[in-house]
Amino acid sequence: MRKILERAFDSLNVRGFRFMWFGDLALSTAEFMEILILSWYILGQTESPLVLGIFAALRFTGTVIAPFFGVIVDSLGRRRIYIFARISFVILSSSIFILTLFDLLSVIAVLIIAALVGLSRSLDMIVRQSVLPIIVSSSQLQNGVALLRTGRDMTQIIGPVFGGILLESVGVGKSYLLIIALHLFSLLFVFLIPGVPNTAIKTAQSMFENLKGGFSYVKVNPFLFGLLAVAFIVNLTAFPLNNTLLAVIARQVMEIDAAGLGWLMGTYSAGSLLGSLLIGYFSTMDRAGRAMVVGSIFWHIGILIMAYMQWFYVSLPVLFFVGISQSFAMVTMSMMLLKYTSAEMRGRVLGLRQLAVYGLPVGVLISGFIAENSDVSLALIFNGLLGLFILVLAIAKWPEMWQRR
Protein backbone atom coordinates (compact mmCIF):
# COMPACT_ATOMS: atom_id res chain seq x y z
CA MET A 1 0.00 0.00 0.00
CA ARG A 2 2.81 2.39 0.85
CA LYS A 3 4.45 1.85 -2.54
CA ILE A 4 1.12 2.46 -4.27
CA LEU A 5 0.67 5.78 -2.43
CA GLU A 6 4.27 6.84 -3.13
CA ARG A 7 3.77 6.17 -6.81
CA ALA A 8 0.40 7.92 -6.98
CA PHE A 9 1.69 11.05 -5.18
CA ASP A 10 5.26 11.05 -6.50
CA SER A 11 5.36 14.71 -7.58
CA LEU A 12 4.42 15.90 -4.08
CA ASN A 13 7.96 14.96 -3.03
CA VAL A 14 9.07 18.07 -4.94
CA ARG A 15 8.91 21.12 -2.64
CA GLY A 16 7.96 23.59 -5.37
CA PHE A 17 5.20 21.34 -6.64
CA ARG A 18 3.74 21.05 -3.12
CA PHE A 19 3.42 24.85 -2.90
CA MET A 20 1.90 24.99 -6.39
CA TRP A 21 -0.56 22.23 -5.47
CA PHE A 22 -1.72 23.85 -2.24
CA GLY A 23 -2.03 27.22 -3.97
CA ASP A 24 -4.18 25.66 -6.65
CA LEU A 25 -6.34 23.99 -3.99
CA ALA A 26 -7.13 27.39 -2.47
CA LEU A 27 -7.71 29.02 -5.86
CA SER A 28 -9.98 26.25 -7.19
CA THR A 29 -12.02 26.04 -3.99
CA ALA A 30 -12.74 29.76 -4.26
CA GLU A 31 -13.51 29.43 -7.98
CA PHE A 32 -16.08 26.65 -7.57
CA MET A 33 -17.73 28.37 -4.62
CA GLU A 34 -18.08 31.48 -6.78
CA ILE A 35 -19.50 29.54 -9.73
CA LEU A 36 -22.26 28.03 -7.63
CA ILE A 37 -23.05 31.17 -5.64
CA LEU A 38 -23.19 33.49 -8.67
CA SER A 39 -24.98 30.96 -10.91
CA TRP A 40 -27.70 30.55 -8.28
CA TYR A 41 -27.86 34.32 -7.81
CA ILE A 42 -28.38 34.88 -11.56
CA LEU A 43 -31.01 32.16 -11.87
CA GLY A 44 -32.80 33.57 -8.82
CA GLN A 45 -32.80 37.08 -10.27
CA THR A 46 -33.71 36.19 -13.87
CA GLU A 47 -34.98 32.57 -14.10
CA SER A 48 -33.25 32.58 -17.50
CA PRO A 49 -30.98 29.75 -18.72
CA LEU A 50 -29.83 32.08 -21.51
CA VAL A 51 -28.58 34.75 -19.08
CA LEU A 52 -26.89 31.99 -17.09
CA GLY A 53 -25.26 30.88 -20.34
CA ILE A 54 -24.02 34.44 -20.93
CA PHE A 55 -22.54 34.45 -17.42
CA ALA A 56 -20.76 31.14 -18.09
CA ALA A 57 -19.49 32.41 -21.46
CA LEU A 58 -18.09 35.61 -19.96
CA ARG A 59 -16.08 33.56 -17.47
CA PHE A 60 -14.01 32.44 -20.46
CA THR A 61 -13.36 35.79 -22.12
CA GLY A 62 -9.64 35.20 -21.77
CA THR A 63 -9.78 32.40 -24.33
CA VAL A 64 -10.22 34.96 -27.11
CA ILE A 65 -6.81 36.51 -26.46
CA ALA A 66 -5.17 33.45 -24.88
CA PRO A 67 -2.54 33.14 -27.65
CA PHE A 68 -1.35 36.66 -26.79
CA PHE A 69 -1.22 35.65 -23.13
CA GLY A 70 1.03 32.74 -24.14
CA VAL A 71 3.42 35.14 -25.84
CA ILE A 72 3.30 37.47 -22.81
CA VAL A 73 4.16 34.61 -20.45
CA ASP A 74 7.15 33.66 -22.61
CA SER A 75 8.24 37.29 -23.02
CA LEU A 76 7.80 38.96 -19.61
CA GLY A 77 8.83 36.28 -17.15
CA ARG A 78 6.68 33.62 -15.57
CA ARG A 79 7.03 34.56 -11.90
CA ARG A 80 5.81 38.15 -12.16
CA ILE A 81 2.89 37.09 -14.40
CA TYR A 82 1.99 34.30 -11.95
CA ILE A 83 1.85 36.77 -9.05
CA PHE A 84 -0.06 39.39 -11.06
CA ALA A 85 -2.75 36.88 -11.99
CA ARG A 86 -3.29 35.82 -8.36
CA ILE A 87 -3.49 39.44 -7.15
CA SER A 88 -6.20 40.13 -9.73
CA PHE A 89 -8.37 37.34 -8.25
CA VAL A 90 -8.15 39.00 -4.82
CA ILE A 91 -9.21 42.37 -6.25
CA LEU A 92 -12.15 40.98 -8.25
CA SER A 93 -13.57 38.84 -5.44
CA SER A 94 -13.28 41.82 -3.10
CA SER A 95 -15.32 43.84 -5.59
CA ILE A 96 -18.25 41.41 -5.28
CA PHE A 97 -18.07 41.62 -1.49
CA ILE A 98 -18.02 45.45 -1.49
CA LEU A 99 -20.97 45.66 -3.91
CA THR A 100 -22.95 43.25 -1.72
CA LEU A 101 -22.02 45.17 1.43
CA PHE A 102 -23.51 48.38 0.01
CA ASP A 103 -26.49 46.57 -1.59
CA LEU A 104 -25.26 47.46 -5.09
CA LEU A 105 -24.84 43.96 -6.49
CA SER A 106 -26.75 43.36 -9.73
CA VAL A 107 -26.78 40.88 -12.59
CA ILE A 108 -24.97 43.41 -14.82
CA ALA A 109 -22.22 43.88 -12.22
CA VAL A 110 -21.80 40.11 -11.90
CA LEU A 111 -21.50 39.76 -15.69
CA ILE A 112 -18.85 42.49 -15.92
CA ILE A 113 -16.77 41.00 -13.11
CA ALA A 114 -17.17 37.52 -14.62
CA ALA A 115 -15.61 38.83 -17.86
CA LEU A 116 -12.62 40.25 -15.96
CA VAL A 117 -12.22 37.02 -13.99
CA GLY A 118 -12.16 35.19 -17.33
CA LEU A 119 -9.11 37.18 -18.41
CA SER A 120 -7.30 36.46 -15.15
CA ARG A 121 -8.16 32.75 -15.25
CA SER A 122 -6.72 32.25 -18.73
CA LEU A 123 -3.52 34.08 -17.84
CA ASP A 124 -3.14 32.11 -14.61
CA MET A 125 -3.75 28.76 -16.32
CA ILE A 126 -1.21 29.40 -19.06
CA VAL A 127 1.57 30.47 -16.72
CA ARG A 128 0.82 27.63 -14.29
CA GLN A 129 1.00 24.96 -16.99
CA SER A 130 4.17 26.44 -18.47
CA VAL A 131 5.83 26.45 -15.02
CA LEU A 132 5.00 22.81 -14.22
CA PRO A 133 7.67 21.21 -16.48
CA ILE A 134 10.25 23.48 -14.83
CA ILE A 135 9.30 22.36 -11.32
CA VAL A 136 9.04 18.59 -11.85
CA SER A 137 11.23 16.21 -13.85
CA SER A 138 10.10 14.82 -17.19
CA SER A 139 9.48 11.41 -15.58
CA GLN A 140 7.13 13.07 -13.08
CA LEU A 141 5.27 15.22 -15.61
CA GLN A 142 2.25 12.97 -16.19
CA ASN A 143 1.97 12.37 -12.44
CA GLY A 144 2.19 16.13 -11.82
CA VAL A 145 -0.52 16.91 -14.38
CA ALA A 146 -2.74 14.22 -12.85
CA LEU A 147 -2.19 15.47 -9.30
CA LEU A 148 -3.02 19.05 -10.27
CA ARG A 149 -6.18 17.72 -11.85
CA THR A 150 -6.82 15.61 -8.74
CA GLY A 151 -6.54 18.69 -6.52
CA ARG A 152 -8.93 20.58 -8.79
CA ASP A 153 -11.38 17.69 -8.68
CA MET A 154 -11.19 17.62 -4.88
CA THR A 155 -12.10 21.29 -4.75
CA GLN A 156 -14.92 20.70 -7.27
CA ILE A 157 -16.40 18.44 -4.61
CA ILE A 158 -15.74 20.70 -1.63
CA GLY A 159 -16.35 24.10 -3.29
CA PRO A 160 -19.89 23.61 -4.66
CA VAL A 161 -21.13 21.67 -1.61
CA PHE A 162 -19.71 24.18 0.84
CA GLY A 163 -20.72 27.12 -1.36
CA GLY A 164 -24.32 25.88 -1.54
CA ILE A 165 -24.57 25.35 2.21
CA LEU A 166 -22.93 28.72 2.94
CA LEU A 167 -25.17 30.55 0.47
CA GLU A 168 -28.32 29.09 2.05
CA SER A 169 -27.00 29.95 5.54
CA VAL A 170 -25.43 33.43 5.34
CA GLY A 171 -26.06 34.80 1.83
CA VAL A 172 -23.77 36.08 -0.91
CA GLY A 173 -21.88 38.80 0.99
CA LYS A 174 -20.62 36.82 3.98
CA SER A 175 -19.84 33.84 1.75
CA TYR A 176 -17.38 36.05 -0.12
CA LEU A 177 -15.28 36.65 2.99
CA LEU A 178 -14.10 33.05 2.76
CA ILE A 179 -13.57 33.34 -1.00
CA ILE A 180 -11.32 36.38 -0.54
CA ALA A 181 -9.33 34.56 2.15
CA LEU A 182 -8.81 31.59 -0.17
CA HIS A 183 -7.52 33.85 -2.95
CA LEU A 184 -5.05 35.41 -0.51
CA PHE A 185 -3.76 31.96 0.44
CA SER A 186 -3.34 31.07 -3.24
CA LEU A 187 -1.24 34.22 -3.71
CA LEU A 188 0.93 33.38 -0.69
CA PHE A 189 1.77 29.92 -2.01
CA VAL A 190 2.87 31.34 -5.37
CA PHE A 191 5.39 33.55 -3.54
CA LEU A 192 6.75 30.40 -1.85
CA ILE A 193 7.36 28.38 -5.06
CA PRO A 194 11.14 28.25 -5.69
CA GLY A 195 12.76 28.18 -9.10
CA VAL A 196 10.09 29.96 -11.12
CA PRO A 197 12.02 32.00 -13.70
CA ASN A 198 11.46 35.74 -13.71
CA THR A 199 13.59 36.36 -16.77
CA ALA A 200 12.07 37.00 -20.16
CA ILE A 201 12.84 34.73 -23.08
CA LYS A 202 14.86 36.93 -25.40
CA THR A 203 13.53 37.17 -28.93
CA ALA A 204 13.98 39.60 -31.78
CA GLN A 205 10.47 38.85 -33.00
CA SER A 206 7.44 40.99 -32.28
CA MET A 207 4.45 39.67 -30.37
CA PHE A 208 2.56 39.02 -33.61
CA GLU A 209 5.54 37.21 -35.12
CA ASN A 210 5.78 35.06 -32.00
CA LEU A 211 2.06 34.34 -32.22
CA LYS A 212 2.39 33.40 -35.87
CA GLY A 213 5.26 31.12 -34.92
CA GLY A 214 2.99 29.30 -32.45
CA PHE A 215 0.37 28.69 -35.14
CA SER A 216 3.04 27.51 -37.58
CA TYR A 217 4.50 25.13 -34.99
CA VAL A 218 1.13 23.48 -34.42
CA LYS A 219 0.36 23.41 -38.13
CA VAL A 220 3.43 21.30 -38.91
CA ASN A 221 2.66 18.96 -35.97
CA PRO A 222 -0.65 17.28 -36.90
CA PHE A 223 -0.79 15.40 -33.60
CA LEU A 224 -0.80 18.67 -31.62
CA PHE A 225 -3.37 20.12 -33.99
CA GLY A 226 -5.57 17.08 -33.36
CA LEU A 227 -5.27 17.52 -29.58
CA LEU A 228 -6.35 21.15 -29.87
CA ALA A 229 -9.27 20.10 -32.07
CA VAL A 230 -10.47 17.60 -29.46
CA ALA A 231 -10.06 20.28 -26.78
CA PHE A 232 -12.35 22.55 -28.78
CA ILE A 233 -14.93 19.78 -29.30
CA VAL A 234 -15.29 18.82 -25.63
CA ASN A 235 -15.48 22.47 -24.61
CA LEU A 236 -18.21 23.09 -27.17
CA THR A 237 -20.39 20.08 -26.39
CA ALA A 238 -19.37 18.44 -23.07
CA PHE A 239 -18.41 21.16 -20.58
CA PRO A 240 -21.75 23.02 -20.85
CA LEU A 241 -23.23 20.26 -18.65
CA ASN A 242 -21.43 21.26 -15.46
CA ASN A 243 -20.95 24.93 -16.38
CA THR A 244 -24.62 25.80 -17.09
CA LEU A 245 -27.05 22.98 -17.65
CA LEU A 246 -26.61 21.24 -14.30
CA ALA A 247 -27.86 24.36 -12.50
CA VAL A 248 -30.88 24.49 -14.81
CA ILE A 249 -31.60 20.80 -14.17
CA ALA A 250 -31.40 21.34 -10.41
CA ARG A 251 -33.70 24.35 -10.33
CA GLN A 252 -36.20 23.67 -13.11
CA VAL A 253 -36.31 19.86 -13.48
CA MET A 254 -35.47 18.43 -10.05
CA GLU A 255 -36.69 21.55 -8.18
CA ILE A 256 -33.99 21.38 -5.49
CA ASP A 257 -32.15 24.19 -3.67
CA ALA A 258 -28.58 25.49 -3.93
CA ALA A 259 -27.31 22.87 -1.49
CA GLY A 260 -28.78 20.14 -3.72
CA LEU A 261 -27.00 21.64 -6.73
CA GLY A 262 -23.82 21.55 -4.68
CA TRP A 263 -24.24 17.80 -4.17
CA LEU A 264 -24.84 17.23 -7.89
CA MET A 265 -21.69 19.16 -8.78
CA GLY A 266 -19.77 17.48 -5.98
CA THR A 267 -20.70 13.98 -7.19
CA TYR A 268 -19.64 14.88 -10.74
CA SER A 269 -16.33 16.07 -9.33
CA ALA A 270 -15.88 12.97 -7.17
CA GLY A 271 -15.89 10.95 -10.39
CA SER A 272 -13.33 13.34 -11.87
CA LEU A 273 -11.20 12.90 -8.75
CA LEU A 274 -11.22 9.11 -9.07
CA GLY A 275 -10.31 9.36 -12.76
CA SER A 276 -7.40 11.70 -12.00
CA LEU A 277 -6.11 9.41 -9.25
CA LEU A 278 -6.21 6.41 -11.58
CA ILE A 279 -4.25 8.28 -14.25
CA GLY A 280 -1.81 9.58 -11.64
CA TYR A 281 -1.16 6.03 -10.45
CA PHE A 282 -0.65 4.73 -13.98
CA SER A 283 1.76 7.59 -14.69
CA THR A 284 3.67 5.50 -17.24
CA MET A 285 0.52 4.36 -19.06
CA ASP A 286 0.85 3.43 -22.71
CA ARG A 287 -1.66 4.62 -25.26
CA ALA A 288 -2.50 7.90 -23.54
CA GLY A 289 -4.09 9.02 -26.81
CA ARG A 290 -6.45 6.06 -26.74
CA ALA A 291 -7.43 6.86 -23.15
CA MET A 292 -8.23 10.45 -24.20
CA VAL A 293 -10.43 9.36 -27.10
CA VAL A 294 -12.33 6.70 -25.12
CA GLY A 295 -12.83 9.12 -22.22
CA SER A 296 -14.24 11.76 -24.59
CA ILE A 297 -16.69 9.28 -26.13
CA PHE A 298 -18.02 7.97 -22.79
CA TRP A 299 -18.26 11.57 -21.53
CA HIS A 300 -20.77 12.34 -24.29
CA ILE A 301 -22.66 9.10 -23.74
CA GLY A 302 -23.10 10.16 -20.10
CA ILE A 303 -24.47 13.52 -21.26
CA LEU A 304 -27.08 11.73 -23.37
CA ILE A 305 -28.12 9.68 -20.33
CA MET A 306 -28.43 12.85 -18.23
CA ALA A 307 -30.97 14.17 -20.74
CA TYR A 308 -33.46 11.69 -19.31
CA MET A 309 -32.63 12.21 -15.60
CA GLN A 310 -35.43 13.77 -13.54
CA TRP A 311 -34.57 12.23 -10.18
CA PHE A 312 -31.89 13.53 -7.84
CA TYR A 313 -30.60 10.25 -6.42
CA VAL A 314 -30.70 8.33 -9.72
CA SER A 315 -28.64 11.06 -11.39
CA LEU A 316 -25.76 10.79 -8.90
CA PRO A 317 -24.12 7.60 -10.28
CA VAL A 318 -24.54 8.93 -13.82
CA LEU A 319 -22.73 12.15 -12.91
CA PHE A 320 -20.02 10.12 -11.16
CA PHE A 321 -19.47 8.16 -14.40
CA VAL A 322 -19.38 11.36 -16.45
CA GLY A 323 -16.77 12.81 -14.09
CA ILE A 324 -14.47 9.79 -14.49
CA SER A 325 -14.75 10.03 -18.28
CA GLN A 326 -13.92 13.74 -18.19
CA SER A 327 -10.68 13.14 -16.31
CA PHE A 328 -9.54 10.38 -18.65
CA ALA A 329 -10.04 12.79 -21.56
CA MET A 330 -8.61 15.99 -20.09
CA VAL A 331 -5.66 14.78 -17.99
CA THR A 332 -4.18 12.70 -20.80
CA MET A 333 -4.71 15.59 -23.23
CA SER A 334 -2.83 18.04 -20.98
CA MET A 335 -0.01 15.58 -20.39
CA MET A 336 0.50 14.95 -24.11
CA LEU A 337 0.46 18.67 -24.98
CA LEU A 338 3.23 19.29 -22.45
CA LYS A 339 5.19 16.17 -23.39
CA TYR A 340 5.25 16.73 -27.14
CA THR A 341 5.77 20.52 -27.17
CA SER A 342 9.31 21.95 -27.07
CA ALA A 343 10.23 24.10 -24.07
CA GLU A 344 10.68 27.32 -26.06
CA MET A 345 7.24 26.98 -27.68
CA ARG A 346 5.33 25.81 -24.61
CA GLY A 347 3.79 29.15 -23.62
CA ARG A 348 2.58 29.81 -27.16
CA VAL A 349 1.09 26.34 -27.61
CA LEU A 350 -0.62 26.55 -24.23
CA GLY A 351 -2.02 29.89 -25.35
CA LEU A 352 -3.51 28.14 -28.37
CA ARG A 353 -4.84 25.45 -26.04
CA GLN A 354 -6.68 28.16 -24.13
CA LEU A 355 -8.04 29.48 -27.43
CA ALA A 356 -9.64 26.05 -27.88
CA VAL A 357 -11.56 26.71 -24.65
CA TYR A 358 -13.48 29.32 -26.66
CA GLY A 359 -15.68 26.42 -27.66
CA LEU A 360 -17.11 26.55 -24.13
CA PRO A 361 -18.61 30.07 -24.22
CA VAL A 362 -20.07 29.24 -27.64
CA GLY A 363 -21.39 25.95 -26.27
CA VAL A 364 -23.00 27.42 -23.14
CA LEU A 365 -24.71 30.15 -25.18
CA ILE A 366 -26.15 27.59 -27.60
CA SER A 367 -27.16 25.33 -24.71
CA GLY A 368 -28.75 28.21 -22.82
CA PHE A 369 -30.68 29.28 -25.90
CA ILE A 370 -32.02 25.76 -26.51
CA ALA A 371 -32.88 25.25 -22.82
CA GLU A 372 -34.76 28.55 -22.64
CA ASN A 373 -36.68 28.16 -25.89
CA SER A 374 -37.34 24.42 -25.64
CA ASP A 375 -36.08 22.46 -22.60
CA VAL A 376 -32.83 21.41 -21.00
CA SER A 377 -33.21 17.77 -22.11
CA LEU A 378 -33.12 18.79 -25.76
CA ALA A 379 -29.98 20.85 -25.12
CA LEU A 380 -28.26 17.79 -23.59
CA ILE A 381 -29.31 15.51 -26.46
CA PHE A 382 -28.08 18.06 -29.00
CA ASN A 383 -24.70 18.38 -27.24
CA GLY A 384 -24.23 14.64 -26.81
CA LEU A 385 -24.99 13.71 -30.41
CA LEU A 386 -23.07 16.62 -31.92
CA GLY A 387 -20.02 15.86 -29.77
CA LEU A 388 -19.96 12.17 -30.74
CA PHE A 389 -20.31 13.03 -34.43
CA ILE A 390 -17.46 15.57 -34.45
CA LEU A 391 -15.21 13.28 -32.37
CA VAL A 392 -15.56 10.51 -34.96
CA LEU A 393 -14.59 12.99 -37.68
CA ALA A 394 -11.57 14.17 -35.66
CA ILE A 395 -10.30 10.63 -35.07
CA ALA A 396 -10.62 9.89 -38.78
CA LYS A 397 -8.75 13.10 -39.64
CA TRP A 398 -5.94 12.67 -37.06
CA PRO A 399 -5.52 8.91 -36.42
CA GLU A 400 -2.23 9.66 -34.62
CA MET A 401 -4.30 10.52 -31.53
CA TRP A 402 -5.47 6.92 -31.24
CA GLN A 403 -1.95 5.54 -31.63
CA ARG A 404 0.21 7.97 -29.64
CA ARG A 405 1.64 6.91 -26.29
Side-chain angles (χ1 to χ4, degrees), residues 27-339:
L27 180 70
S28 297
T29 303
E31 176 187 344
F32 292 118
M33 287 180 64
E34 284 188 286
I35 290 172
L36 185 138
I37 290 169
L38 296 180
S39 295
W40 203 254
Y41 171 81
I42 287 174
L43 271 180
Q45 294 291 312
T46 67
E47 292 292 343
S48 170
L50 180 58
V51 176
L52 182 61
I54 293 171
F55 165 70
L58 289 172
R59 288 176 35 239
F60 295 92
T61 49
T63 60
V64 180
I65 55 175
F68 293 100
F69 283 165
V71 175
I72 290 170
V73 167
D74 283 342
S75 302
L76 299 183
R78 289 167 170 82
R79 183 176 179 81
R80 61 171 63 96
I81 298 297
Y82 209 172
I83 292 170
F84 171 79
R86 294 295 167 97
I87 290 174
S88 68
F89 287 123
V90 176
I91 294 171
L92 292 169
S93 59
S94 299
S95 300
I96 293 281
F97 172 73
I98 293 170
L99 289 172
T100 306
L101 187 64
F102 291 99
D103 199 25
L104 296 174
L105 189 66
S106 65
V107 171
I108 295 298
V110 169
L111 295 179
I112 292 171
I113 292 173
L116 297 174
V117 169
L119 296 174
S120 297
R121 182 176 293 112
S122 284
L123 185 60
D124 183 81
M125 189 175 296
I126 291 168
V127 69
R128 183 176 0 119
Q129 290 180 342
S130 68
V131 161
L132 179 60
I134 299 170
I135 294 175
V136 301
S137 66
S138 58
S139 63
Q140 295 173 311
L141 184 58
Q142 179 168 325
N143 181 259
V145 172
L147 284 178
L148 286 177
R149 184 71 202 190
T150 297
R152 185 171 177 81
D153 292 336
M154 288 170 56
T155 62
Q156 276 188 284
I157 301 170
I158 298 168
V161 172
F162 197 59
I165 294 172
L166 207 57
L167 178 61
E168 293 291 331
S169 303
V170 299
V172 175
K174 291 180 181 178
S175 299
Y176 258 82
L177 289 174
L178 178 58
I179 291 171
I180 294 168
L182 288 168
H183 282 309
L184 287 170
F185 276 117
S186 76
L187 173 61
L188 172 63
F189 281 116
V190 168
F191 277 110
L192 295 175
I193 299 172
V196 179
N198 206 28
T199 54
I201 296 176
K202 302 296 183 181
T203 174
Q205 295 179 314
S206 68
M207 178 177 290
F208 286 99
E209 289 172 331
N210 272 289
L211 182 59
K212 184 180 178 181
F215 279 107
S216 299
Y217 180 81
V218 170
K219 187 176 180 180
V220 298
N221 288 274
F223 172 66
L224 294 179
F225 199 99
L227 290 179
L228 295 178
V230 173
F232 180 84
I233 293 166
V234 297
N235 276 281
L236 177 69
T237 59
F239 273 115
L241 171 63
N242 62 312
N243 279 274
T244 301
L245 298 179
L246 205 52
V248 181
I249 293 170
R251 190 176 183 93
Q252 298 184 356
V253 178
M254 298 181 182
E255 297 182 348
I256 55 179
D257 61 13
L261 172 60
W263 285 109
L264 290 177
M265 295 177 69
T267 302
Y268 180 100
S269 303
S272 297
L273 173 60
L274 177 59
S276 299
L277 286 172
L278 289 172
I279 295 171
Y281 175 71
F282 296 107
S283 58
T284 57
M285 76 157 57
D286 293 334
R287 305 299 183 187
R290 190 165 297 179
M292 179 193 71
V293 171
V294 171
S296 300
I297 290 172
F298 277 107
W299 190 356
H300 286 85
I301 291 172
I303 290 169
L304 288 172
I305 296 172
M306 278 301 299
Y308 300 95
M309 286 293 108
Q310 300 178 16
W311 310 277
F312 176 78
Y313 291 106
V314 179
S315 69
L316 296 180
V318 178
L319 289 170
F320 189 79
F321 166 78
V322 173
I324 293 174
S325 302
Q326 174 191 300
S327 280
F328 267 79
M330 300 309 294
V331 174
T332 49
M333 179 193 298
S334 297
M335 179 275 295
M336 289 187 290
L337 274 173
L338 292 173
K339 183 177 180 180

